[in-house]
Amino acid sequence: MPVISRFVSIGLRIGELIFAATVAGLIGHYLHAFDKAKYAWPQKRFVYTEVVAGLSMLLALIWLVPLAGGFIHWPVDLVLFVLWMTAFGLLVNFIGPLHCGSVWAWGNITEKGTCERWKAAVALSFLSAIFWLVSALVGIWFIHRTRRNTTVETDGANTTYAPLFPPNCINPGLED
């Protein structure tokens, strides 16, 4: 079962990386156009979303390497889930007054219109949040499962817990 959880984790990290890069590109396009228009300052919601996307890309790249410690990052995965849901809410709040129709109507997000671009950013920020949540749940499941499988050695007076993985084990659980 550890092999499956590692493959799932790698797939989730790749999805998180792709969603974050796409949202960064869509929002970055807006910020670039905004900069060319010589306005005073872009709306903070877009800068926030760009920062969350950048942080997500960095962490997804770092954690893409399938090591045993890759599952202990689930608290950060939960934090990124909250950050992405906040970005999702800020983007939904922005496109509401644009009269683009339902926020959940993602059927034509591949078109080249303004509304479609914003709906694509909203859709991908929501999907990114879901992927970060699932990564956190996989991490919690993995940690819970490995803690349950620890052995306890006792001599009557002292209790010691055997390590989850032997010290010389580089990548536990990937052997067949």
Side-chain angles (χ1 to χ4, degrees):
M1 205 59 172
V3 174
I4 293 172
S5 61
R6 292 190 197 292
F7 283 126
V8 167
S9 177
I10 289 171
L12 289 168
R13 297 295 182 202
I14 289 171
E16 293 161 357
L17 180 63
I18 290 169
F19 292 144
T22 308
V23 170
L26 290 168
I27 300 299
H29 174 76
Y30 167 77
L31 291 174
H32 179 70
F34 193 87
D35 185 47
K36 282 186 167 185
K38 305 291 183 210
Y39 292 115
W41 185 251
Q43 292 190 8
K44 295 173 215 152
R45 71 183 81 219
F46 305 120
V47 174
Y48 171 82
T49 304
E50 198 74 12
V51 168
V52 171
L55 182 63
S56 295
M57 287 187 292
L58 174 69
L59 293 177
L61 276 173
I62 291 171
W63 294 337
L64 195 56
V65 179
L67 298 175
F71 292 105
I72 63 171
H73 305 296
W74 64 267
V76 179
D77 290 338
L78 282 178
V79 168
L80 281 165
F81 164 71
V82 171
L83 293 175
W84 273 111
M85 288 307 289
T86 304
F88 169 73
L90 290 170
L91 292 175
V92 166
N93 185 276
F94 174 75
I95 70 168
L98 294 180
H99 305 294
C100 292
S102 173
V103 175
W104 300 103
W106 298 345
N108 59 352
I109 62 173
T110 57
E111 304 288 326
K112 293 189 177 189
T114 303
C115 284
E116 288 78 11
R117 186 177 296 130
W118 287 116
K119 283 188 178 185
V122 167
L124 295 173
S125 65
F126 179 77
L127 291 174
S128 184
I130 297 302
F131 270 54
W132 284 104
L133 177 63
V134 173
S135 287
L137 294 175
V138 168
I140 291 169
W141 172 79
F142 183 84
I143 296 297
H144 175 71
R145 185 182 58 80
T146 55
R147 282 194 184 152
R148 188 178 43 180
N149 292 336
T150 58
T151 58
V152 177
E153 299 172 11
T154 181
D155 61 0
N158 298 324
T159 302
T160 58
Y161 293 92
L164 294 175
F165 307 114
N168 61 354
C169 186
I170 295 173
N171 216 350
L174 288 180
E175 59 278 340
D176 291 39

